[in-house]
Amino acid sequence: MKKLMSAVLAGAMMLSLAACGSTADTTQSTSGSEAATGETTASATPIKLGGIGPVTGGNAQYGTAVQNGEQLAVDEINAAAGYTVFELQFEDDESDPETAVNAYNALKDWGMQVLLGAVTSDPSLNVASECVNDNMFMLTPSASAEDVALTGPNVFQMCFTDPNQGKTSAQYIADNNLGTNIGIIYDSSDPYSTGIYTAFVATAGELGLNIVAQPSFTADNKSDLSTQVAQCQDAGADLVFLPIYYNEASQILIAANSRGYTPTFFGCDGMDGILGVEGFDTSLANGLMMLCPFSAFGDDETTTTFVSAYEAAFDSTPNQFAADAYDCVYAIYQCVQDGTINGDMSASDMCDALVEAFGTMSFSGTTGENQTWDENGMISKEPKVYQIQDDAYVLVGEE
Amino acid sequence: MALTRLKHMKKTTRSNLITFGIVIVFYLVVEALMAGGLTSSSFEGQLVPICAYVVLAISLNLTVGFLGELSLGHAGFMSVGAFAGVLLWTVLGKTLPAYVALPLAFLAGGLVAGIFGVIVGVPVLRLSGDYLAIVTLAFGEIIKNIINACYLGYDENGLHFSLTDAASMGLAPDGTTLINGAMGITRITKASTFTMGIALVLITLVVILNLIHSRTGRAVMAIRDNEIAAQSVGVDLTRYKLTAFVISAVFAGFAGVLYALNYSSLVARRFDYNTSIQILVFVVLGGMGNIRGSIIAAALLTVLPEMLRGMDDYRMLIYAIVLIVMMIFNQSPQIVAWRKRVAARFTRKKGAPAPQKEVA
């Protein structure tokens, strides 16, 4: 009996704690926005932005970056305008396609008018088809699978598509003669990695690049990647292409270092963040090249403002996930300033207006100047190649 | 009249009718609420997954609760069923009318899952011990990795298949890719509805409840209670074990098709070890060997994480606490005895004597 009582009491305590936590959060944010509204008379119905991404689970690092980026942009815009332009509600999807649809429905119940998500590819595919059904405008910061944008006319991407990255990387490597014997290490269980890999191999074939080794790993056996590194070394690869995320890439760099293997490493936008990996000797990343739209070390005004604000707010350096998410909000804000959309429009009307606007507009943000979207909703922006030198990104070709 | 007949009915029949009643009443109430526009889209979106999980929990209960064997690869059967059903649906859905193509898709899903059930079951169920748990665990992982590496497409020259990458499939430029490796099947025409889900739940209930109360079911339960005793009276162990296990796999395949046709994309990663454990949690918390418990547990535990969305970061914590509390409430001997005492207090008024305190 005593045990039962203690269990019930413990449960009740947890519940009340949890309740306290969440109420405190909401009151804080509402009072903040009320204060902002109170200060000026100029106000309009706020536009409800929904965000979906993994803030728990294995991919939480990406979802959290996107959530932070979107929150930062919304706060900045609201503060600058003097009234609540945007309200942001971010829902967790644990990077699970089923939970993502649940999150989408929860946001719909909340009254979402524009969706800025989801973050990872599988959830985005499911959510995109819901958006097409409901005629809800969807702009994903980071879901780069080609099929996401191809789901429908109202689905747009802020990031490069995977095939585009693979193609551009191969083109760049061929144009600059970075390597004669190329090795590729990729994650065959990941759509991002296989998407880039497939396009890279196809373009490399057309350009006559010599691929000597292409070992792969899967999400289930990535704890030791030294075999894959050894395969590339034994095949004599002088350039290793890594279309993977930074955590696995850091292991590959460590494995290569311990074997005394020093090829040129070339990665894609998933590599951004490698300098922030905990316990990783960043000097190993010296010379690593990557195709990435964003650099936290950029010196243009948009980037420096964003990076310093982000560092002040979240105590960490933003990566391209955060930058793409930040740009998503500003791209929508550009349409608000144009008068294309306002908070009184229904989600469906807003979607039609935004689809038309995104077809013609040009947007400049932290991830590039004069970005435009094609009729499929895929973005076109200038690809940049950075090289890591002494814990900083240096734009290749600028010096 | 009807009421007295209900009273004189066999206890199991009455219990079964109550189970059917719960499902039908749930269906009617939800349909009425939906017609009145009183449900949120969040709730509506979860109806089909609930039905799929209920079918999965009932079918796994047959293996775990009635056969007494532990299966840790139920998601694997769900996966092969889902992929088979969706492939058939994408190919036939364009040419055949939906009322022909859909049942065919379900049949294909069940059939393929059943075939895999036989393949896994024949060697393993001849043994006694925990071998089924080990083999099904491996089966689930193998299926996930094979489908993840599987590329399938067709063009005018026929089917193309590869286990390395999309390019080595050798598909003509105008060919159609069906399974694209790690990207799975995309752009599925969604077809699952709540009515379909409830129909599948009812079919599952009819088949499995009847099976349990048939000669086969009694043989299966005899094996669970004492294998040697069952063998000594002439029960063919392998045959009955296999029957129960394969039927369980077939319904997992049906549930997989229902689940997959509710979304526009399908990836094998979704059906991993965690999903198998999730289904096992439904069964264990609902009570092993208790079909009605499985239904309620599956429905509640599917909805719960979504109901806790407002709690933000505390969601996971509370979900875990709920699992533990439910487990204690259902299984702990002291609590079970306490529940009986409380129940007795209500029935004592009718003249029943106070029960003796149970020794756990």
Side-chain angles (χ1 to χ4, degrees), chain A residues 50-312:
Chain A
I52 298 175
V55 290
T56 56
N59 290 325
Q61 46 194 339
Y62 315 127
T64 313
V66 166
Q67 185 181 15
N68 290 347
E70 288 178 1
Q71 190 63 54
L72 182 69
V74 166
D75 290 346
E76 276 181 14
I77 291 169
N78 287 348
Y83 63 94
T84 314
V85 182
F86 292 128
E87 278 176 22
L88 175 70
Q89 172 92 4
F90 200 91
E91 291 291 347
D92 186 12
D93 70 359
E94 302 159 22
S95 200
D96 173 56
E98 180 192 332
T99 317
V101 174
N102 291 340
Y104 172 81
N105 285 325
L107 286 170
K108 224 167 69 176
D109 289 333
W110 170 70
M112 165 175 67
Q113 288 161 301
V114 174
L115 174 67
L116 303 179
V119 172
T120 40
S121 288
D122 305 340
S124 298
L125 281 170
N126 274 353
V127 169
S129 89
E130 298 295 321
C131 282
V132 173
N133 277 347
D134 296 339
N135 199 31
M136 170 84 65
F137 188 77
M138 168 168 167
L139 176 62
T140 167
S142 55
S144 49
E146 209 173 25
D147 277 334
V148 175
L150 293 177
T151 308
N154 55 336
V155 182
F156 287 75
Q157 287 169 320
M158 185 47 91
C159 53
F160 280 126
T161 62
D162 300 331
N164 190 345
Q165 289 199 52
K167 211 173 132 189
T168 317
S169 302
Q171 192 80 48
Y172 186 87
I173 290 169
D175 289 351
N176 295 285
N177 291 319
L178 290 176
T180 44
N181 295 322
I182 294 171
I184 309 172
I185 303 178
Y186 71 104
D187 181 350
S188 65
S189 67
D190 180 35
Y192 167 78
S193 196
T194 48
I196 301 180
Y197 162 80
T198 310
F200 182 88
V201 172
T203 316
E206 286 164 20
L207 299 170
L209 290 172
N210 182 25
I211 296 173
V212 291
Q214 33 189 311
S216 64
F217 59 91
T218 66
D220 293 327
N221 59 4
K222 61 181 182 184
S223 50
D224 180 19
L225 299 174
S226 55
T227 326
Q228 284 83 347
V229 175
Q231 273 179 345
C232 289
Q233 187 176 21
D234 294 345
D238 56 1
L239 182 137
V240 177
F241 182 57
L242 302 175
I244 51 178
Y245 283 115
Y246 54 86
N247 276 325
E248 291 83 55
S250 68
Q251 285 185 47
I252 287 175
L253 294 181
I254 294 169
N257 181 53
S258 65
R259 301 182 66 91
Y261 177 41
T262 52
T264 311
F265 286 104
F266 194 99
C268 291
D269 61 4
M271 198 64 82
D272 185 28
I274 194 161
L275 295 178
V277 176
E278 265 177 56
F280 173 65
D281 176 9
T282 49
S283 69
L284 295 180
N286 262 345
L288 171 74
M289 300 178 90
M290 64 177 103
L291 180 84
C292 185
F294 169 75
S295 155
F297 301 93
D299 50 10
D300 60 297
E301 201 194 326
T302 331
T303 308
T304 48
T305 324
F306 166 60
V307 172
S308 57
Y310 190 95
E311 280 173 344

Side-chain angles (χ1 to χ4, degrees), chain B residues 287-327:
Chain B
M288 284 187 268
N290 182 350
I291 297 286
R292 203 187 306 153
S294 294
I295 297 175
I296 296 170
L300 277 185
L301 291 178
T302 310
V303 178
L304 189 68
E306 287 308 311
M307 284 168 62
L308 293 174
R309 234 176 221 293
M311 301 273 183
D312 290 340
D313 297 345
Y314 298 96
R315 198 153 60 98
M316 302 288 183
L317 189 69
I318 292 172
Y319 187 74
I321 291 174
V322 168
L323 288 189
I324 296 167
V325 170
M326 265 176 87
M327 185 69 103

Side-chain angles (χ1 to χ4, degrees), chain B:
Chain B
M1 268 306 280
L3 214 70
T4 45
R5 198 181 294 169
L6 199 69
K7 265 187 182 167
H8 295 292
M9 219 176 245
K10 257 168 65 186
K11 208 177 159 195
T12 48
T13 319
R14 192 165 59 201
S15 163
N16 289 352
L17 280 182
I18 293 174
T19 311
F20 281 111
I22 289 176
V23 176
I24 293 167
V25 167
F26 175 71
Y27 174 70
L28 293 177
V29 168
V30 170
E31 280 291 320
L33 285 176
M34 276 184 0
L38 292 169
T39 49
S40 64
S41 33
S42 175
F43 180 70
E44 284 169 30
Q46 287 172 72
L47 290 172
V48 175
I50 288 175
C51 291
Y53 286 125
V54 165
V55 173
L56 284 164
I58 297 172
S59 63
L60 186 63
N61 208 339
L62 185 62
T63 304
V64 176
F66 292 95
L67 180 59
E69 294 271 357
L70 190 56
S71 167
L72 296 176
H74 219 51
F77 296 114
M78 188 186 175
S79 180
V80 287
F83 273 89
V86 169
L87 277 182
L88 203 74
W89 169 242
T90 27
V91 176
L92 295 183
K94 288 167 196 147
T95 47
L96 290 175
Y99 59 86
V100 181
L102 267 180
L104 281 177
F106 274 94
L107 284 180
L111 187 71
V112 171
I115 290 170
F116 276 93
V118 172
I119 294 171
V120 171
V122 164
V124 183
L125 292 171
R126 301 174 75 86
L127 309 167
S128 49
D130 292 333
Y131 297 100
L132 189 71
I134 301 166
V135 172
T136 46
L137 175 61
F139 167 74
E141 291 299 298
I142 292 169
I143 286 296
K144 184 183 80 180
N145 279 303
I146 289 182
I147 299 182
N148 238 344
C150 168
Y151 294 85
L152 182 71
Y154 68 93
D155 56 18
E156 70 272 11
N157 298 324
L159 278 176
H160 294 256
F161 176 76
S162 161
L163 279 173
T164 41
D165 56 34
S168 54
M169 209 158 48
L171 206 60
D174 60 341
T176 316
T177 307
L178 291 172
I179 305 180
N180 193 5
M183 277 168 244
I185 306 181
T186 49
R187 277 177 263 172
I188 302 166
T189 318
K190 284 185 277 186
S192 292
T193 59
F194 180 47
T195 312
M196 254 164 70
I198 288 290
L200 187 62
V201 170
L202 289 176
I203 293 170
T204 314
L205 277 177
V206 168
V207 173
I208 290 189
L209 286 177
N210 277 312
L211 180 83
I212 291 165
H213 299 121
S214 70
R215 185 192 156 85
T216 311
R218 283 191 294 276
V220 166
M221 283 185 274
I223 296 171
R224 171 193 67 188
D225 293 336
N226 192 327
E227 248 185 71
I228 296 169
Q231 205 169 16
S232 72
V233 294
V235 172
D236 183 347
L237 293 188
T238 313
R239 190 186 134 201
Y240 286 111
K241 278 183 179 180
L242 200 62
T243 311
F245 183 68
V246 170
I247 289 174
S248 165
V250 167
F251 279 98
F254 288 150
V257 180
L258 177 75
Y259 180 88
L261 289 181
N262 189 43
Y263 299 104
S264 70
S265 71
L266 175 65
V267 286
R269 278 186 299 287
R270 182 64 188 76
F271 307 107
D272 60 356
Y273 176 67
N274 291 332
T275 312
S276 296
I277 294 296
Q278 194 189 350
I279 304 165
L280 191 61
V281 166
F282 297 154
V283 173
V284 173
L285 285 183
M288 284 187 268
N290 182 350
I291 297 286
R292 203 187 306 153
S294 294
I295 297 175
I296 296 170
L300 277 185
L301 291 178
T302 310
V303 178
L304 189 68
E306 287 308 311
M307 284 168 62
L308 293 174
R309 234 176 221 293
M311 301 273 183
D312 290 340
D313 297 345
Y314 298 96
R315 198 153 60 98
M316 302 288 183
L317 189 69
I318 292 172
Y319 187 74
I321 291 174
V322 168
L323 288 189
I324 296 167
V325 170
M326 265 176 87
M327 185 69 103
I328 293 173
F329 187 77
N330 272 345
Q331 315 282 344
S332 159
Q334 283 93 343
I335 304 284
V336 171
W338 173 73
R339 266 166 44 202
K340 278 188 180 154
R341 278 205 305 278
V342 173
R345 212 169 288 164
F346 285 105
T347 46
R348 215 184 330 181
K349 285 174 191 163
K350 290 175 188 165
Q356 296 296 309
K357 194 179 179 191
E358 249 179 74
V359 185

Side-chain angles (χ1 to χ4, degrees), chain A residues 333-342 345 353:
Chain A
Y333 187 49
Q334 187 170 325
C335 296
V336 176
Q337 285 178 314
D338 290 351
T340 313
I341 54 167
N342 60 61
M345 292 165 90

